[in-house]
Amino acid sequence: MGGGAADHGQASAHPRPEPAVPEHRRKKRRARLLPRRHGVQEIPDELVAEIPDELVAEIPDELVEEIFLRRPILADLVRASLACVSFRGLIADRYFLRRLRKLHAPPVLGFLNGYRDFFPVIPPSPFASAASAVALAADFSFSFLPAPARDWKILDVRDGRVLLKRSPSSCHNRPLVVCDPLYRRYLLLPPIPSVEEWVPHSKKKKKKKKVVWVPRKLQCFLKVQEEAAEETSFTVILIAKSGDKHTAFVFSSSTGQWRAGPWTPWTAEFSLAFFSYLRYAYGCFYGVTECTEKLLVLDTRTMEFSVADLPPEARVESVDIAIVEAGEGITGMFVLPHLTSHISYLIRQNNGGSSSQWRLEKTIRLDSCWYSFTNSTGRHLLLFHSGSSSLDKGTFALDIQTFQLEKVFATPGKPMPYVYSNFPPSLLSSPTISSA
């Protein structure tokens, strides 16, 4: 009894040593981290020692991968990659990064104006610090392009890539370049072949027609190849008009060549229909016609044009219209009449039906009547507030899922025409232009 009590007291003063666990197995346990809401949490030493061997199971890499892919905060993955070697290897895997970028759109990091000035987003944006890092790491003066750099003018910005044209130059043979300012890579596009050779002519009219680009500003924009095998693949789409017909020229980085889509009739009411990512959903660009009655639709899968009716809510003068992907095959339309403080949100199933299928889903109230649509990034619709007595000028992001409005940039003057979205410099980022 006494000896036992003495032994018991000694055991209380000096805790028992941990159960004999092979060193390599103990390291394996510590290599696995428990995910939590904000970051990752390492299993404490005392818990590791007390977990019976039969309950310790190695989490399959496939399951860890699925957990990581569903993290809503991308910064968690960067922290996880720094926590242990096995996590870093999984996150750095090319297959994992490809899946990640398909599930998570690159965040908005800043804005570019026509003078190639970069303005990073500001707090409370969770990517404010990453945007500051991009401002230091990237070359938005494009000094790495063929000289002189000042001759290059921005046409479009999409998912880390920038499309520029050299000016001045001939109208139908404009040198175009697509570059990655973060990694300082670029691809100089080949000249478009003689456009007259692409134009179909009737037997009666053998005279070649002069090609006119429409509108006066060149309609040329970038598009990511979603189904491409390489992440560096992209296309450039250019709209051209010849006589009473128009078409879309398409350059593919995979083939390195231009091709022309079908030529379709062109009517006067389409003369001001301009395409942009403000109106893009499920592979289709939408241009609002001058009469604000129709939509000119460009299907980038077939490169064919078609005409669609606008819903009654959008058939008003002086109105901003945005078209987005609402998820699950649903197309969403935001309608903001000028000098009003409400946005009408309509939805339609993506089944090729008529305009009667547009249905008013929600009315979003704004705190001012001085908002206008400027751009869209897929997840967010960007609005510019021109300033009022109660609210300063600035750019705001409207989440198209939650309809929450958040200020992302204190605009000093006019709205920024180009949005820069990309994965910040980290393990998650990679070049968007092939080194070849």
Side-chain angles (χ1 to χ4, degrees), residues 52 66 85 115 119 146 171 180 205 232 251 267 273 300 310 327 333 341 349 358:
E66 294 301 322
V85 176
Y115 302 100
F119 300 89
C171 189
D180 183 337
K205 297 181 180 180
T232 55
F251 171 82
T267 60
T300 60
L310 280 168
M333 177 185 291
S341 57
Q349 290 291 338
W358 285 105

Side-chain angles (χ1 to χ4, degrees), residues 61-245:
D61 285 343
E62 294 79 7
L63 181 57
V64 177
E65 179 178 322
E66 294 301 322
I67 294 173
F68 283 167
L69 286 173
R70 284 157 177 77
R71 292 302 300 160
I73 305 174
L74 295 178
D76 286 352
L77 299 184
V78 178
R79 289 190 286 268
S81 69
L82 299 175
C84 73
V85 176
S86 61
F87 280 4
R88 182 176 181 85
L90 188 151
I91 294 173
D93 182 74
R94 184 178 180 183
Y95 174 73
F96 174 83
L97 291 176
R98 289 195 64 185
R99 291 190 63 194
L100 179 74
R101 293 177 187 130
K102 286 185 177 182
L103 291 175
H104 299 272
V108 176
L109 299 180
F111 304 88
L112 284 164
N113 61 15
Y115 302 100
R116 298 174 296 181
D117 299 316
F118 178 73
F119 300 89
V121 296
I122 61 173
S125 170
F127 299 101
S129 60
S132 299
V134 167
L136 295 174
D139 182 3
F140 290 106
S141 66
F142 306 108
S143 61
F144 56 93
L145 295 181
R150 65 177 181 274
D151 287 349
W152 293 102
K153 181 180 179 182
I154 299 175
L155 291 178
D156 194 18
V157 181
R158 185 62 38 175
D159 292 349
R161 301 182 184 90
V162 182
L163 171 66
L164 304 97
K165 72 177 180 70
R166 173 170 277 174
S167 182
S169 59
S170 62
C171 189
H172 70 279
N173 197 22
R174 297 174 185 261
L176 298 172
V177 67
V178 178
C179 72
D180 183 337
L182 184 58
Y183 287 89
R184 291 170 171 78
R185 294 183 177 184
Y186 70 88
L187 177 65
L188 192 63
L189 274 59
I192 302 175
S194 179
V195 181
E196 284 81 0
E197 298 177 3
W198 301 79
V199 180
H201 299 290
S202 64
K203 296 181 180 180
K204 295 181 179 180
K205 297 181 180 180
K206 297 183 179 181
K207 185 178 179 180
K208 294 182 178 180
K209 301 178 182 179
K210 182 180 179 180
V211 172
V212 181
W213 303 101
V214 292
R216 292 180 180 179
K217 292 184 178 180
L218 184 67
Q219 286 203 64
C220 192
F221 39 88
L222 284 161
K223 185 177 184 299
V224 178
Q225 293 180 330
E226 290 88 353
E227 304 301 326
E230 298 295 330
E231 296 177 352
T232 55
S233 299
F234 63 89
T235 58
V236 176
I237 301 174
L238 187 149
I239 310 299
K241 174 177 179 291
S242 177
D244 59 352
K245 294 182 174 60

Side-chain angles (χ1 to χ4, degrees), residues 126-421:
F127 299 101
S129 60
S132 299
V134 167
L136 295 174
D139 182 3
F140 290 106
S141 66
F142 306 108
S143 61
F144 56 93
L145 295 181
R150 65 177 181 274
D151 287 349
W152 293 102
K153 181 180 179 182
I154 299 175
L155 291 178
D156 194 18
V157 181
R158 185 62 38 175
D159 292 349
R161 301 182 184 90
V162 182
L163 171 66
L164 304 97
K165 72 177 180 70
R166 173 170 277 174
S167 182
S169 59
S170 62
C171 189
H172 70 279
N173 197 22
R174 297 174 185 261
L176 298 172
V177 67
V178 178
C179 72
D180 183 337
L182 184 58
Y183 287 89
R184 291 170 171 78
R185 294 183 177 184
Y186 70 88
L187 177 65
L188 192 63
L189 274 59
I192 302 175
S194 179
V195 181
E196 284 81 0
E197 298 177 3
W198 301 79
V199 180
H201 299 290
S202 64
K203 296 181 180 180
K204 295 181 179 180
K205 297 181 180 180
K206 297 183 179 181
K207 185 178 179 180
K208 294 182 178 180
K209 301 178 182 179
K210 182 180 179 180
V211 172
V212 181
W213 303 101
V214 292
R216 292 180 180 179
K217 292 184 178 180
L218 184 67
Q219 286 203 64
C220 192
F221 39 88
L222 284 161
K223 185 177 184 299
V224 178
Q225 293 180 330
E226 290 88 353
E227 304 301 326
E230 298 295 330
E231 296 177 352
T232 55
S233 299
F234 63 89
T235 58
V236 176
I237 301 174
L238 187 149
I239 310 299
K241 174 177 179 291
S242 177
D244 59 352
K245 294 182 174 60
H246 64 288
T247 189
F249 285 94
V250 185
F251 171 82
S252 170
S253 64
S254 300
T255 63
Q257 297 179 343
W258 290 94
R259 65 180 177 88
W263 288 86
T264 55
W266 181 273
T267 60
E269 66 176 351
F270 298 152
S271 60
L272 294 180
F274 192 81
F275 300 96
S276 76
Y277 275 95
L278 183 59
R279 292 179 290 272
Y280 173 83
Y282 302 108
C284 292
F285 286 94
Y286 297 83
V288 180
T289 62
E290 184 179 8
C291 63
T292 324
E293 293 281 339
K294 305 283 186 180
L295 286 171
L296 183 61
V297 186
L298 170 61
D299 190 329
T300 60
R301 293 157 295 192
T302 62
M303 286 302 149
E304 295 182 347
F305 292 90
S306 61
V307 179
D309 292 329
L310 280 168
E313 291 85 351
R315 297 178 192 173
V316 296
E317 294 183 3
S318 301
V319 62
D320 285 347
I321 299 174
I323 296 177
V324 300
E325 296 179 2
E328 299 180 355
I330 298 174
T331 301
M333 177 185 291
F334 292 89
V335 179
L336 174 61
H338 291 183
L339 300 179
T340 62
S341 57
H342 66 273
I343 299 174
S344 298
Y345 176 61
L346 304 96
I347 61 173
R348 185 184 68 177
Q349 290 291 338
N350 190 28
N351 56 7
S354 65
S355 62
S356 61
Q357 292 179 311
W358 285 105
R359 175 171 58 86
L360 180 63
E361 179 74 7
K362 185 179 181 63
T363 299
I364 305 167
R365 300 293 177 182
L366 302 174
D367 53 6
S368 170
C369 64
W370 300 103
Y371 285 98
S372 59
F373 296 160
T374 61
N375 212 320
S376 174
T377 64
R379 175 63 189 268
H380 293 90
L381 176 63
L382 298 177
L383 292 79
F384 173 71
H385 188 270
S386 56
S388 65
S389 58
S390 59
L391 189 62
D392 294 334
K393 290 183 178 181
T395 299
F396 293 76
L398 178 69
D399 191 308
I400 64 174
Q401 299 293 335
T402 65
F403 305 108
Q404 295 297 312
L405 191 66
E406 178 182 83
K407 190 172 186 177
V408 293
F409 179 62
T411 309
K414 296 181 180 179
M416 298 297 166
Y418 307 108
V419 182
Y420 182 80
S421 300

